[in-house]
């Protein structure tokens, strides 16, 4: 259904024509991290083995043809950021104390339409709530993104409600955004402040209070504290600083929760059954799944994320059009050089 919303023709090729799909770098990286967490929570690997396994598996992706971007400079930057963020998560992840069920298969009936999915992790907290966790290695969702993407989690919640009769108010759903970390510290008034930062540069998120702490506890001048903060940002660690400062800041995994209640479940059922109706109404005729020309804004999805682009005539036309435009631009440049005598 996400594919349908992104590109109706891609949905046609994947789900009706059933052409062979290719992985993309995000699906490969996500699978690596999910598999490591699954193995860890099923006691197949130890905590100390998670990071080496990731580094080994990620190296295989790095030397492959899969890219975060067709622009090599952007790819290198995105790859470096991804590796640093996930490595930091695997070094600092706090294991859930409760027993965790991983990759739990769920079948859900929505008005006669059957959905099937695998939940990354399910556990029961100390208050008896059932916690559904879906791990994400993507950018953290804002309020709008939460609303756009929450149906998958709500579907899982409804599936648990159907299968085990668990009341909706006892089911909690959340995403675990692995590239982000929550940083908590106490203010002078005694209240605790929590901010969220990307793991590869988390120290930068606390540079203002950190500078004040360095001045107070290490008796530094303002300029000295500024230089010290810059060093700490560069190493992305508080290692080596006064213990009273380091102990002040607490890191925890970053989660975003989804409201599970009668209204959100009802909206989810309505949304998904409407999409099913759209699919059924279109039938299987190719002409019903046509789309307009690919725009420049869609290039990233088509080039990096789409698994059927090699079978897509719209994408081929887009590439040919761009190639023709580049050739025209090159011809115009040659004409200009000739005119200028260059």
């Amino acid at each position: 259904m996400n594919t349908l919303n992104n590109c109706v023709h891609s949905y046609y090729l994947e789900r009706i024509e059933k052409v062979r799909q290719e992985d993309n770098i995000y699906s490969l990286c996500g699978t690596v991290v999910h598999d490591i967490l699954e193995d860890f929570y099923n006691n197949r690997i130890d905590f100390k083995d998670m990071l080496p396994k990731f580094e080994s598996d990620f190296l295989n992706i790095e030397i492959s043809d899969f890219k975060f971007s067709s622009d090599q400079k952007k790819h290198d930057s995105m790859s470096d950021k991804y590796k640093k963020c996930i490595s930091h998560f695997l070094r600092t992840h706090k294991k859930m104390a409760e027993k965790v069920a991983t990759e739990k298969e769920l079948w859900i009936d929505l008005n006669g339409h059957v959905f099937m999915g695998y939940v990354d992790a399910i556990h029961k907290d100390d208050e008896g709530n059932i916690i559904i966790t879906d791990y994400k290695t993507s950018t953290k969702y804002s309020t709008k993104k939460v609303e756009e993407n929450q149906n998958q989690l709500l579907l899982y919640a409804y599936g648990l409600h159907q299968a085990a009769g668990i009341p909706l108010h006892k089911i909690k759903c959340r995403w675990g955004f692995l590239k982000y970390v929550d940083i908590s510290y106490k203010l002078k008034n005694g209240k605790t402040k929590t901010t969220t930062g990307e793991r590869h540069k988390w120290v930068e998120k606390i540079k203002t209070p950190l500078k004040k702490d360095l001045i107070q506890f290490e008796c530094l001048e303002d300029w000295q504290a500024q230089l010290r903060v810059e060093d700490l940002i560069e190493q992305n660690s508080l290692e080596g600083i006064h213990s009273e400062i380091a102990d002040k800041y607490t890191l925890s995994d970053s989660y975003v929760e989804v409201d599970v209640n009668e209204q959100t479940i009802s909206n989810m059922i309505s949304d998904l059954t409407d999409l099913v109706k759209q699919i059924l109404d279109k039938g299987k005729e190719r002409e019903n799944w046509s789309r307009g020309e690919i725009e420049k804004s869609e290039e990233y999805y088509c080039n990096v994320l789409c698994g059927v682009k090699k079978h897509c005539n719209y994408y081929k036309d887009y590439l040919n059009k761009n190639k023709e435009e580049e050739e025209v631009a090159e011809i115009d440049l040659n004409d200009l050089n000739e005119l200028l005598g260059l």
Side-chain angles (χ1 to χ4, degrees):
M1 288 181 166
N2 285 334
T3 303
L4 181 67
N5 288 330
N6 284 320
C7 175
V8 295
H9 193 65
S10 178
Y11 179 92
Y12 170 79
L13 293 173
E14 287 184 20
R15 304 293 173 172
I16 298 176
E17 284 285 323
K18 299 188 186 300
V19 302
R20 182 176 178 179
Q21 297 181 51
E22 295 183 347
D23 286 317
N24 61 61
I25 195 165
Y26 289 101
S27 64
L28 289 173
C29 292
T31 297
V32 165
V33 180
H34 281 70
D35 287 349
I36 289 172
L37 285 170
E38 183 183 1
D39 287 344
F40 173 59
Y41 277 103
N42 285 284
N43 300 314
R44 290 193 286 265
I45 61 173
D46 294 330
F47 180 85
K48 63 180 176 58
D49 298 322
M50 291 201 295
L51 181 56
K53 180 149 189 359
F54 169 71
E55 291 174 338
S56 174
D57 291 346
F58 191 73
L59 177 61
N60 291 331
I61 296 174
E62 285 183 300
I63 61 178
S64 72
D65 294 330
F66 292 97
K67 302 292 182 183
F68 286 101
S69 171
S70 56
D71 182 292
Q72 186 62 42
K73 188 175 181 180
K74 286 183 180 179
H75 164 75
D76 291 341
S77 175
M78 294 170 73
S79 179
D80 181 64
K81 171 183 170 180
Y82 188 97
K83 184 176 181 179
K84 287 178 177 177
C85 285
I86 300 302
S87 295
H88 185 272
F89 166 78
L90 294 173
R91 283 198 306 270
T92 62
H93 174 59
K94 301 295 189 297
K95 184 177 182 180
M96 288 180 270
E98 304 84 357
K99 179 176 175 57
V100 178
T102 62
E103 294 299 314
K104 178 68 176 177
E105 183 180 296
L106 280 180
W107 292 77
I108 309 102
D109 183 352
L110 294 190
N111 298 328
H113 305 298
V114 179
F115 290 73
M116 187 270 286
Y118 293 90
V119 186
D120 291 341
I122 303 175
H123 75 278
K124 181 187 289 187
D125 67 12
D126 53 13
E127 296 179 358
N129 298 307
I130 304 300
I131 312 298
I132 292 174
T133 302
D134 186 40
Y135 297 118
K136 293 291 184 188
T137 57
S138 60
T139 301
K140 191 170 185 178
Y141 294 156
S142 60
T143 302
K144 184 179 179 182
K145 279 287 188 179
V146 168
E147 294 175 356
E148 291 175 352
N149 291 276
Q150 66 182 0
N151 279 342
Q152 180 183 5
L153 285 177
L154 292 171
L155 187 65
Y156 291 156
Y158 191 56
L160 275 183
H161 174 69
Q162 282 186 337
I166 302 170
L168 291 179
H169 73 273
K170 297 297 289 182
I171 302 175
K172 310 295 181 184
C173 291
R174 64 184 187 177
W175 290 290
F177 287 95
L178 306 189
K179 292 197 301 182
Y180 295 79
V181 65
D182 290 342
I183 313 143
S184 301
Y185 56 96
K186 282 191 175 181
L187 303 174
K188 284 187 176 180
N189 60 13
K191 293 183 178 180
T192 299
K193 177 175 177 146
T194 300
T195 185
T196 301
E198 293 179 287
R199 288 178 177 273
H200 74 298
K201 55 179 182 179
W202 73 268
V203 174
E204 187 174 344
K205 291 292 293 187
I206 56 169
K207 61 183 180 182
T208 301
L210 183 58
K211 181 179 177 180
K212 293 178 181 178
D213 289 337
L214 288 167
I215 292 173
Q216 177 183 352
F217 291 102
E218 296 193 354
C219 302
L220 301 179
E221 296 291 334
D222 186 277
W223 65 271
Q224 292 175 313
Q226 181 61 40
L227 290 176
R228 188 80 170 98
V229 167
E230 290 173 4
D231 286 341
L232 293 170
I233 290 174
E234 178 66 26
Q235 70 185 40
N236 198 39
S237 169
L238 300 186
E239 186 177 348
I241 68 172
H242 198 289
S243 61
E244 286 193 53
I245 302 176
D247 294 343
K248 179 180 176 180
Y249 298 93
T250 303
L251 302 184
S252 56
D253 294 341
S254 187
Y255 295 99
V256 173
E257 293 191 359
V258 167
D259 289 331
V260 180
N261 54 57
E262 295 287 349
Q263 187 60 59
T264 56
I265 292 295
S266 176
N267 292 342
M268 176 274 296
I269 293 173
S270 177
D271 289 345
L272 298 191
T273 50
D274 284 349
L275 279 173
V276 171
K277 185 177 184 303
Q278 289 181 35
I279 292 168
L280 296 177
D281 287 347
K282 281 182 176 293
K284 295 185 177 182
E285 298 300 321
R286 189 182 186 94
E287 58 266 23
N288 295 336
W289 298 89
S290 61
R291 54 155 297 157
E293 289 186 2
I294 294 173
E295 302 292 334
K296 183 68 176 176
S297 60
E298 299 172 290
E299 181 179 11
Y300 187 78
Y301 172 80
C302 294
N303 186 40
V304 177
L305 302 179
C306 181
V308 293
K309 59 180 177 285
K310 290 185 177 179
H311 305 273
C312 178
N313 291 329
Y314 294 97
Y315 185 60
K316 292 175 184 177
D317 291 343
Y318 178 78
L319 293 179
N320 289 333
K321 181 181 177 182
N322 278 2
K323 183 178 180 181
E324 290 171 0
E325 290 176 352
E326 289 173 0
E327 289 175 349
V328 169
E330 186 177 343
I331 292 172
D332 289 345
L333 181 61
N334 290 335
D335 290 343
L336 178 61
N337 288 337
E338 185 176 346
L339 179 66
L340 297 176
L342 299 177

